[in-house]
Amino acid sequence: MDKAMAGIINVTGYAGIECARLLSSHPQVTLATVTGRSAAGHRLADVFPHLADSNLTIEEKLGEVDIVLVAMPHKESAREVLSLIEKGIKVVDLSADFRLKDETEYNEWYGVSHPAPQLLSQAVYGLTELYRNEIAGAQLVANPGCYPTGAILAMAPAVKQGLIKEYIVVDSKSGVSGAGRSLNIKTHYAEANEDTTAYALEGHRHLPEIIQELGLLQPDKKMRITFVPHLVPMTRGILSTCYAPLAGKITAQELKQIYSDFYSEEPFVKVTDTPPHTKHTRGSNLCLIHPTVDGRTGMMVVISCIDNLIKGAAGQAVQNMNLMLGLPETAGLEAVSVYP
Amino acid sequence: MDKAMAGIINVTGYAGIECARLLSSHPQVTLATVTGRSAAGHRLADVFPHLADSNLTIEEKLGEVDIVLVAMPHKESAREVLSLIEKGIKVVDLSADFRLKDETEYNEWYGVSHPAPQLLSQAVYGLTELYRNEIAGAQLVANPGCYPTGAILAMAPAVKQGLIKEYIVVDSKSGVSGAGRSLNIKTHYAEANEDTTAYALEGHRHLPEIIQELGLLQPDKKMRITFVPHLVPMTRGILSTCYAPLAGKITAQELKQIYSDFYSEEPFVKVTDTPPHTKHTRGSNLCLIHPTVDGRTGMMVVISCIDNLIKGAAGQAVQNMNLMLGLPETAGLEAVSVYP
Amino acid sequence: MDKAMAGIINVTGYAGIECARLLSSHPQVTLATVTGRSAAGHRLADVFPHLADSNLTIEEKLGEVDIVLVAMPHKESAREVLSLIEKGIKVVDLSADFRLKDETEYNEWYGVSHPAPQLLSQAVYGLTELYRNEIAGAQLVANPGCYPTGAILAMAPAVKQGLIKEYIVVDSKSGVSGAGRSLNIKTHYAEANEDTTAYALEGHRHLPEIIQELGLLQPDKKMRITFVPHLVPMTRGILSTCYAPLAGKITAQELKQIYSDFYSEEPFVKVTDTPPHTKHTRGSNLCLIHPTVDGRTGMMVVISCIDNLIKGAAGQAVQNMNLMLGLPETAGLEAVSVYP
Amino acid sequence: MDKAMAGIINVTGYAGIECARLLSSHPQVTLATVTGRSAAGHRLADVFPHLADSNLTIEEKLGEVDIVLVAMPHKESAREVLSLIEKGIKVVDLSADFRLKDETEYNEWYGVSHPAPQLLSQAVYGLTELYRNEIAGAQLVANPGCYPTGAILAMAPAVKQGLIKEYIVVDSKSGVSGAGRSLNIKTHYAEANEDTTAYALEGHRHLPEIIQELGLLQPDKKMRITFVPHLVPMTRGILSTCYAPLAGKITAQELKQIYSDFYSEEPFVKVTDTPPHTKHTRGSNLCLIHPTVDGRTGMMVVISCIDNLIKGAAGQAVQNMNLMLGLPETAGLEAVSVYP
């Protein structure tokens, strides 16, 4: 069988170039064409020496493809996606544009009018573990944000099971690559190194995604979700520590069983016996989850970690792409974490 | 007036050597004698080149002094302290041995019989901002743990004011020096670098300190406190993000006013308008606190940060020592944070 | 064809466990058995969670295999190797025991009597690019040290071509994983982080390897080689900056051509137009080399970089193993560097 | 006596703000006025929270002062300096504009016509240890570059003594703050973290400074100096490893004696018995120097380290300012390095 032909729009950000790295060794898909703006006309291998063996040139416009991974900023992405969908091309959109079902929510959180609201109903939220079947049949998949990926996978089994009383706190610690490749004083080396800080206390744009998806798992329950992201001085990785007062009594062992059952068939989610390390996910598509109970207080504590650029972005996009193309879900994603 | 003479027991750990650094430039106290075990007989300047100008030799036994900073591990510390107290010498104990008022709590959390329970009633908990007067008159001060220092300062104004409903979550992110100078695979460079992880989910020994001190501020209120410490890849600094559902309605502005009033006279606590950075405390005795309210959920969020080796250990010990000696509280602690 | 069966002796150091990671996804070799000392009896996946999918248990004694990668400390390694060689098993030895041809040199640098000098003549120095044919036919390959790998690849073309006057300086900057997984105050996180230092100024044990191999390329020339290793605060990577006064005039362009020709057929060596970054080799078996000339002074400057655990250890071992087994040299080593 | 009044032009770069930090606790100088461009009108304490106690506002134009530290980029600096000198104000210029004696050298290396060549003859090169007397009497001091400070201090005793044959290699490893506070992809966190690289192989602008100053110590000797700077992933610190074939025989012990004698009276230079660590200079004005000899090859190896923002910039500026104002040279510079 011929390999499928894939393209990447805006390959020059960290999510885009990570898609290129993963596709460069994908056994059943060929990366045929990539676009960029400032770097258009340059060889991909010159701008990104780790892809030295690539023969691609960064183009202004995409060539012919079966599927496209779109790694544009929000709003700009929707316009590109609309045009691709109209041509009948399959799309995994890594931006935020098609993640929220509710157009007004989008308009409020992103401060712009949604450029293509007519696509919202057909877009499938691309958290593979929750929407595997829908993704396989979709033309448009909205790849989740990095924080929501870790947070929703951490909380879904407990929320679905109805274990949560009301409050949920998601305290996330992200490596600095999560802030992207655009220059900013906050991600200037001497500022971010040897520093830890919280940000977006007034409400991070990934919060409505988390609310939407956990809400869909328990439509009748009111949940109060607080999400605080932090930057920690490392390049890759997100560790999310999630806290929720339990509705009833449950032991750590019972909780672990619920999680193990929920994820028993998942190739990329592992429930661990000990607190996981971001290092053990770096370079892989894994999500590690450790659920436990603070018996003194009746508080559930669940910790998840992922590589923000892989399971939190490019890897999950490839995972979704595989499903959309009818390929094995793990194709091109077998790499083991690079430890130490 | 003659300068007071101070000694340090077990100078070779990170807390002990940081006491030595601070005392080396203290205007009104002379560091007269230091002890260590494995390094006894060596010049301090040879073992710790940053103190190249010191003429001290690391001794097995302490010389004559007015006050001693004890930086031993728990249990061993109590024995040293007992002997010093009996001789009428003032002591700041940096170990955990005299922090908990309740002997049985100590025995349970530390898994040993308290070696000097008779001193518990006279020991003053050395969180300077809460016990300034008692410290000034004490012979024995129990210097708080690094995590409790940040957590209690973050929560005290809200707890005292009765703002908290019931649950409190303290999610702390610590630099690796907090784990001490003893070798351990968890603090081996290639393991800790580029990694974030949680630990002590079954209950960290600093938790009972936090419970004790917040409880004393609201004796009639049942509080459920969950504390999860994390290691992040930096040398110094603790950032604690504290979450608590509010008992009633309060705005972020009102909350900030409560905190500003509570700490208005404090030389080393600053209430900030924006989320603080550990970098802005590194090398100084400051505690930065940012209180806010998540209006959507009724959750109070308070973030504090400190340099774990200064306000979290040696700096606070010097601050307490100053009070015990009748010196200005800020003497020897004026250093501005080293940014970037 | 059946897959070859490989074993690893002392899998628990960084070199050993990196061999395990690479073999875990090798298409034509099965990792059949691994040994360790302190961790014997534990599942490999429990000690090293990034290898969660492994079913191996760490054994005290090796099972049946076609080839063994030995990752023991020097001296202890030779004894294991001797026993394997006598049984007719192929061996890649990652220790220093069979790198030096001259037994007295070994005894002097390592301060012990060589435990198996009778094997020295048959051992092939495993710098694949220089000894490809000999390696293919060898039963025992002595895998080079991490520093010599980068230094010799950087200097070999110039030395062979006779461009060097007399002096060679190799100034190497290594990530901290190069110091191994054994605990040491120098590799304690808070000591190594935010620090750069030189070490082994009296002569590092990797120096005689460099002298031996560059000497073999120009037996009639006296070269004076100075090698100074440094530790820099990162986990993986070695960058070596090599300086040598030129014997005659040559332009940077001509020099680059000599290097490009020398390495034109090499799958894992790339000559670059700009100074290379260790980051562009991390996670891959690449060696990047940038040769240039300081025209003002007649000084040749050649910079190389590698991932010390891959091309500097486990990757090169697998590269050699592939040749010894008659497999494609690049099998199992196709991973692209993990950037950023 | 009234305190002297000092000003800082362009306080918002790393050198400028470090001057402000040092002056904020200077016992005999008051920081009276600071300027900045983009941040003009803001309170210094708001832009730089570590200076929370400062009451200064960043101005567009300087107020009245006795002495000014100018931290502008080259060329722009000269214009400011000219105007200050004409008003009779003392100036320490941290830019490169008055470091080179030879106007044509400046024009060539900086690619601009020198804006104030008439001041070149009166400017004193501000390497305090070499020009103490001249600095004390100067109106204009050209503060050295960070790399030249470490390199010249490392090589001066040997060059002055005539120990060097001809070639000198300076291999410097700098923390990332040396690249300044302006945004650049090279100093973007995810790019610079976990990376080591060389740069400016075609000739760094600090090279002519090194050539000029070492040349002045041995005017009759031809020296061939090669300088290669590297970026290593830490915030502060420069370690320079200097190599030079020796003209004659000398032991490491004799060499050390020469260095100890040369620097015996220096408050900020220490000759060490073991290879120094940048960590032991961080936060202090120290330069640590370790000279040795590679007896096998007749190569002298001298290693120096400094905090690039203190002895390599702001600290040395304050040291020079002290001399120019007739104050004790060490005033305001007594801080001990912050270890670990």
Side-chain angles (χ1 to χ4, degrees), chain B residues 237-249:
Chain B
I238 293 177
L239 187 127
S240 292
T241 314
C242 307
Y243 305 86
L246 286 160
K249 284 227 165 191

Side-chain angles (χ1 to χ4, degrees), chain C residues 167 171 173 190-191 193-197 224 226 230 234-235 241 243 276-279 282 294 297 339, chain D residues 171 173 190-191 193-197 224 226 230 234-235 241 243 276-279 282 294 297 339:
Chain C
Y167 289 101
D171 183 295
K173 298 91 178 161
E191 305 284 327
N193 186 40
E194 287 292 292
D195 188 35
T196 293
T197 190
R224 297 176 186 249
T226 298
H230 300 73
M234 59 186 193
T235 298
T241 314
Y243 305 86
H277 293 249
T278 58
K279 190 183 281 285
R282 192 182 47 198
D294 178 355
T297 58
Y339 158 93
Chain D
D171 183 295
K173 300 88 178 161
E191 305 284 327
N193 185 41
E194 286 294 293
D195 189 35
T196 292
T197 190
R224 299 175 186 249
T226 297
H230 300 73
M234 60 186 192
T235 297
T241 314
Y243 304 87
H277 293 249
T278 59
K279 188 184 283 286
R282 193 182 47 198
D294 179 354
T297 59
Y339 157 93

Side-chain angles (χ1 to χ4, degrees), chain A residues 39 43 76 111 114 155 166 184 213 252-253 295 303:
Chain A
R43 291 184 59 241
E76 298 178 68
H114 199 294
M155 293 304 301
E166 177 178 21
N184 188 308
E213 293 301 319
Q253 197 49 45
I303 301 172

Side-chain angles (χ1 to χ4, degrees), chain C residues 71-91:
Chain C
M72 297 284 283
H74 69 88
K75 190 178 171 190
E76 299 178 67
S77 192
R79 297 208 187 95
E80 298 274 1
V81 169
L82 183 58
S83 149
L84 292 163
I85 292 295
E86 285 171 348
K87 290 180 193 150
I89 297 170
K90 292 180 176 178
V91 174

Side-chain angles (χ1 to χ4, degrees), chain B:
Chain B
M1 192 192 89
D2 281 355
K3 285 190 176 187
M5 305 291 269
I8 299 168
I9 292 184
N10 197 27
V11 75
T12 55
Y14 285 140
I17 196 62
E18 187 71 347
C19 288
R21 185 176 74 87
L22 294 173
L23 291 182
S24 72
S25 56
H26 196 290
Q28 292 167 275
V29 174
T30 297
L31 178 57
T33 172
V34 300
T35 76
R37 289 174 291 188
S38 55
H42 291 83
R43 290 183 59 243
L44 188 63
D46 289 341
V47 184
F48 296 101
H50 69 300
L51 298 179
D53 291 332
S54 168
N55 292 316
L56 293 172
T57 294
I58 303 173
E59 310 283 355
E60 289 199 16
K61 293 206 171 267
L62 213 60
E64 279 203 21
V65 288
D66 302 306
I67 192 162
V68 178
L69 312 186
V70 182
M72 297 284 284
H74 68 89
K75 190 179 172 192
E76 298 178 69
S77 192
R79 297 206 187 96
E80 298 274 1
V81 169
L82 183 57
S83 151
L84 291 163
I85 291 295
E86 286 171 348
K87 291 179 194 150
I89 297 170
K90 292 180 175 179
V91 174
V92 180
D93 179 26
L94 285 88
S95 87
D97 282 349
F98 300 99
R99 296 175 189 160
L100 300 179
K101 304 291 176 205
D102 182 345
E103 183 185 347
T104 53
E105 276 279 295
Y106 177 89
N107 295 351
E108 202 171 292
W109 281 93
Y110 290 89
V112 294
S113 281
H114 198 293
Q118 66 271 36
L119 296 179
L120 285 173
S121 60
Q122 76 171 92
V124 176
Y125 190 73
L127 193 63
T128 329
E129 288 72 16
L130 297 187
Y131 297 104
R132 184 168 283 114
N133 293 336
E134 293 86 338
I135 291 164
Q139 191 192 351
L140 171 56
V141 168
N143 216 53
C146 53
Y147 288 120
T149 296
I152 298 166
L153 290 174
M155 293 304 298
V159 168
K160 183 134 194 225
Q161 197 77 9
L163 305 180
I164 304 307
K165 202 189 249 174
E166 176 177 22
Y167 289 101
I168 297 177
V169 167
V170 178
D171 184 294
S172 295
K173 299 89 177 161
S174 176
V176 180
S177 68
R181 197 161 178 258
S182 298
L183 304 182
N184 187 308
I185 189 69
K186 291 183 182 175
T187 53
H188 196 54
Y189 182 87
E191 304 284 327
N193 186 41
E194 288 292 293
D195 188 36
T196 293
T197 191
Y199 67 103
L201 289 171
E202 69 289 353
H204 187 283
R205 285 168 169 175
H206 284 177
L207 174 59
E209 274 182 64
I210 300 171
I211 292 173
Q212 167 182 290
E213 293 301 318
L214 294 183
L216 287 168
L217 292 167
Q218 272 289 353
D220 300 331
K221 186 118 180 186
K222 175 171 172 48
M223 283 178 288
R224 299 176 186 247
I225 303 178
T226 298
F227 164 55
V228 178
H230 300 73
L231 279 190
V232 297
M234 60 187 191
T235 298
R236 286 175 177 238
I238 293 177
L239 187 127
S240 292
T241 314
C242 307
Y243 305 86
L246 286 160
K249 284 227 165 191
I250 185 169
T251 67
Q253 197 49 45
E254 292 163 345
L255 185 68
K256 201 200 155 191
Q257 194 57 53
I258 290 168
Y259 273 71
S260 297
D261 293 346
F262 193 93
Y263 290 122
S264 61
E265 303 294 316
E266 291 301 333
F268 295 120
V269 180
K270 291 196 189 302
V271 178
T272 68
D273 290 328
T274 53
H277 293 248
T278 59
K279 188 185 283 287
H280 294 147
T281 63
R282 194 182 47 197
S284 87
N285 197 46
L286 279 184
C287 176
L288 302 177
I289 301 183
H290 178 67
T292 191
V293 172
D294 179 355
R296 288 177 197 82
T297 59
M299 182 74 74
M300 185 181 78
V301 181
V302 186
I303 301 172
S304 73
C305 59
I306 57 171
D307 182 320
N308 58 303
L309 293 179
I310 306 187
K311 184 60 179 169
Q316 187 150 252
V318 170
Q319 191 179 355
N320 289 328
M321 178 198 76
N322 287 338
L323 290 170
M324 294 162 82
L325 295 174
L327 302 174
E329 188 174 327
T330 59
L333 296 171
E334 299 88 348
V336 172
S337 309
V338 179
Y339 157 93

Side-chain angles (χ1 to χ4, degrees), chain A residues 77-88:
Chain A
S77 191
R79 297 209 186 93
E80 297 275 1
V81 169
L82 183 58
S83 150
L84 291 163
I85 293 294
E86 285 170 348
K87 290 179 193 150

